[in-house]
Amino acid sequence: MTTATVKDLYPTRGTAEVTVPRQDPVVWGAPDTPGPIETADLQRYERDGFLAVDQLITPDEVEIYKRELDRLVSDPEVRADERSIVEPKSKEIRSVFEVHRISEVFANLVRDPRVVGRARQILGSDVYVHQSRINVKPGFGASGFYWHSDFETWHAEDGLPNMRTVSVSIALTENLDTNGGLMIMPGSHRTFLGCAGATPKDNYKKSLQMQDAGTPSDEALTALASEHGIRLFTGTAGSATWFDCNCMHGSGDNITPYPRSNVFIVFNSVENTAVEPFAAPVRRPEFIGARDFTPVR
């Protein structure tokens, strides 16, 4: 269902792939907006589409969040909840969504000024949580996330009109260059890639385990990688990567013995609230794409 009241600046899920220059700012706040991000770092974020922070949370805090992650993934009630996604082969938990509502520990992390303050600074407004989850990549075979732009899905299936959304991935275990770390194509956030193919009904049930609809072609990915290159993010537990909603990114399988677990929070501007999906028959569930636009306080 395509909304009739908001112009679709980023067409996707049609008969062919299309590329559209970005129509929105990258940094919405004024350069002198106070916040935790230094001016030079904000300029790098605008240029590259991402910002790495060596230590966003302390080692003691990491231990608190790791214990809470372990508690959640070992809780039978959490496993049985529809917000938990399991690996197709191993049947281990892959992701748990809406963790800021399930867990007061992670709700406190969302409200932390070091976290929400950066989001407000980038987006130039109050923000709400469009999505939160813990991603668990246990060793010996946890599958990766194929190349994609988050905004392509959030626009097509959740109804976010503009690119005024930022994500942060906070490492709760060491992110090595071998255990399925995050990869981003620097500068790819400046071009929107509209994917080919219609969105199946209840696509989210399949896409959360293995992306299909909204997947770029090999030719498009080769062109983007040739132009922008690929950056692999590593870091100790407590480090974080902030990245724009339209960055082309993905991660590989983890076939090492070393687990990789992260907490992932998506902040959207309260001035960019979701409408009806632009290229899907129905909205995704609220635990994946929020419809509660209450600002984080």
Side-chain angles (χ1 to χ4, degrees):
M1 181 188 300
T2 300
T3 182
T5 57
V6 178
K7 184 179 179 181
D8 186 357
L9 298 176
Y10 302 104
T12 190
R13 311 284 173 98
T15 56
E17 280 184 324
V18 295
T19 56
V20 177
R22 187 187 184 104
Q23 307 293 302
D24 296 304
V26 177
V27 175
W28 291 74
D32 58 351
T33 300
I37 307 176
E38 299 288 342
T39 300
D41 287 337
L42 205 56
Q43 291 170 342
R44 279 191 286 270
Y45 176 88
E46 184 169 26
R47 180 194 67 199
D48 297 332
F50 58 78
L51 176 64
V53 179
D54 289 338
Q55 187 183 72
L56 183 66
I57 58 176
T58 67
D60 288 344
E61 291 170 318
V62 167
E63 290 306 311
I64 293 171
Y65 295 120
K66 280 178 65 178
R67 285 196 296 271
E68 182 68 355
L69 181 149
D70 291 342
R71 183 188 72 81
L72 290 172
V73 299
S74 61
D75 185 334
E77 289 188 11
V78 172
R79 183 183 179 86
D81 194 293
E82 65 174 345
R83 290 173 286 193
S84 294
I85 311 301
V86 300
E87 287 282 351
K89 294 182 180 178
S90 70
K91 303 303 180 184
E92 293 188 73
I93 287 182
R94 172 190 179 95
S95 301
V96 179
F97 281 80
E98 221 172 32
V99 289
H100 70 296
R101 295 192 181 278
I102 294 175
S103 162
E104 186 59 28
V105 173
F106 285 114
N108 289 334
L109 179 62
V110 165
R111 294 190 290 262
D112 190 308
R114 294 168 295 180
V115 178
V116 71
R118 284 176 166 85
R120 292 188 187 118
Q121 195 175 356
I122 290 168
L123 300 181
S125 70
D126 278 333
V127 297
Y128 70 93
V129 176
H130 176 69
Q131 185 186 106
S132 72
R133 67 179 187 261
I134 46 175
N135 288 332
V136 185
K137 269 194 177 180
F140 299 119
S143 54
F145 294 85
Y146 198 68
W147 290 105
H148 63 286
S149 153
D150 286 329
F151 179 76
E152 192 279 337
T153 296
W154 298 338
H155 182 70
E157 301 186 39
D158 297 340
L160 295 192
N162 296 97
M163 295 179 183
R164 199 170 179 179
T165 314
V166 63
S167 301
V168 60
S169 177
I170 305 171
L172 300 183
T173 55
E174 188 169 7
N175 282 217
L176 306 168
D177 57 5
T178 53
N179 66 345
L182 174 68
M183 296 181 287
I184 295 178
M185 297 185 187
S188 60
H189 62 304
R190 295 196 173 276
T191 302
F192 177 75
L193 179 63
C195 297
T199 307
K201 186 179 179 182
D202 290 340
N203 177 58
Y204 77 94
K205 293 181 179 179
K206 180 180 179 183
S207 67
L208 295 179
Q209 293 181 328
M210 187 66 67
Q211 186 85 358
D212 188 9
T215 301
S217 68
D218 291 352
E219 293 77 14
L221 290 170
T222 299
L224 284 170
S226 298
E227 180 178 358
H228 300 293
I230 296 173
R231 167 83 180 269
L232 170 65
F233 291 86
T234 59
T236 58
S239 62
T241 305
W242 292 84
F243 59 103
D244 179 83
C245 58
N246 192 47
C247 282
M248 190 61 66
H249 67 287
S251 63
D253 296 350
N254 182 13
I255 61 171
T256 75
Y258 312 114
R260 176 181 172 264
S261 297
N262 295 55
V263 55
F264 181 76
I265 306 164
V266 180
F267 293 101
N268 188 40
S269 169
V270 295
E271 298 172 12
N272 188 45
T273 54
V275 294
E276 289 303 308
F278 285 87
V282 294
R283 304 171 182 173
R284 298 195 300 174
E286 291 197 25
F287 70 85
I288 301 174
R291 295 279 160 171
D292 179 352
F293 310 131
T294 305
V296 176
R297 298 295 187 205

